[in-house]
């Protein structure tokens, strides 16, 4: 229950964060007033990647980020199985070659336990919103299939193309 409350706080905070940092428009103008600020990413090369010895050691690029942002990153690292099945709708599938929501935060997990973090999630409120919602619902007992269905339904209009996350 305590974990749910923490994740709910993260989700609430994420809605107030700025959305994706680049200023291109979304591929669909249909819900522009309801979804303004959810633009795609233009340059994945601007993403910072940093390796740490493990998932419990956060990268330095999070040093000056809010506590909630750090909690999201720590939670993402513990929810790989879930988030690799959840698409992101910010445009990072095309612009950053992401395959799922997990990729917005973690670039690679190495065999030795090291983690190569990606700062993409720090610049995109939509990435945080999707990941936090998925983790909160999962913690409440919702199935991955139902979470995926809800995410796909919520973001199907007015957002960028989803990442090419395989169907469940």
């Amino acid at each position: 229950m305590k974990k749910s409350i923490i994740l709910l706080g993260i989700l609430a905070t994420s809605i107030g964060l700025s959305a994706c940092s680049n200023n291109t428009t979304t591929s669909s103008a249909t819900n522009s007033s309801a979804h303004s600020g959810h633009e795609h990413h233009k340059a994945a090369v601007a993403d910072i990647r940093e390796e740490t010895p493990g998932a419990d050691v956060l990268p330095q690029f999070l040093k000056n980020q809010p506590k909630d942002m750090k909690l999201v990153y720590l939670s993402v690292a513990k929810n790989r199985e879930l988030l690799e099945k959840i698409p992101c709708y910010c445009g990072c599938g095309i612009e950053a070659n992401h395959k799922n929501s997990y990729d917005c935060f973690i670039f690679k997990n190495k065999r030795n336990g090291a983690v190569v973090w990606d700062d993409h999630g720090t610049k995109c409120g939509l990435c945080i919103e999707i990941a936090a919602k998925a983790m909160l619902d999962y913690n409440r007992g919702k199935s991955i299939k139902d979470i995926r269905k809800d995410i796909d339904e919520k973001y199907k209009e007015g957002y960028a193309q989803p990442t090419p996350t395989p169907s469940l």
Side-chain angles (χ1 to χ4, degrees):
M1 183 67 167
K2 187 176 181 180
K3 188 176 180 182
S4 293
I5 293 169
I6 291 170
L7 287 175
L8 182 58
I10 293 168
L11 178 61
T13 302
S14 73
I15 293 169
L17 294 173
S18 64
C20 303
S21 62
N22 295 321
N23 292 322
T24 59
T25 58
T26 58
S27 58
S28 170
T30 55
N31 284 324
S32 61
S33 64
H35 305 297
S36 63
H38 296 278
E39 296 90 8
H40 337 212
H41 295 271
K42 265 300 190 202
V45 293
D47 288 347
I48 296 169
R49 294 187 178 135
E50 183 181 333
E51 183 175 324
T52 65
D56 56 338
V57 180
L58 289 172
Q60 286 298 306
F61 65 72
L62 289 173
K63 183 179 178 183
N64 295 321
Q65 294 292 339
K67 183 178 179 182
D68 289 343
M69 178 79 66
K70 294 172 186 173
L71 288 173
V72 169
Y73 268 80
L74 287 171
S75 296
V76 165
K78 295 175 183 171
N79 285 280
R80 180 179 182 181
E81 179 185 340
L82 164 66
L83 295 173
E84 284 185 337
K85 294 176 176 78
I86 304 298
C88 185
Y89 282 80
C90 79
C92 62
I94 294 169
E95 302 301 334
N97 201 31
H98 290 174
K99 305 294 183 220
N100 51 59
S101 183
Y102 187 78
D103 290 351
C104 299
F105 304 89
I106 296 178
F107 177 71
K108 185 176 185 178
N109 292 281
K110 294 192 168 184
R111 286 186 178 179
N112 67 359
V115 174
V116 180
W117 303 88
D118 193 313
D119 81 329
H120 181 89
T122 66
K123 300 176 281 186
C124 185
L126 187 57
C127 296
I128 294 168
E129 182 179 320
I130 290 171
K133 172 82 170 116
M135 292 185 293
L136 177 62
D137 286 349
Y138 190 64
N139 190 53
R140 290 181 172 163
K142 201 173 220 182
S143 72
I144 294 174
K145 189 172 186 172
D146 286 342
I147 294 167
R148 170 69 181 266
K149 181 181 172 188
D150 291 348
I151 295 290
D152 286 338
E153 183 64 28
K154 181 174 181 176
Y155 299 101
K156 71 180 179 183
E157 293 183 23
Y159 294 91
Q161 258 321 82
T163 53
T165 312
S167 298
L168 297 177

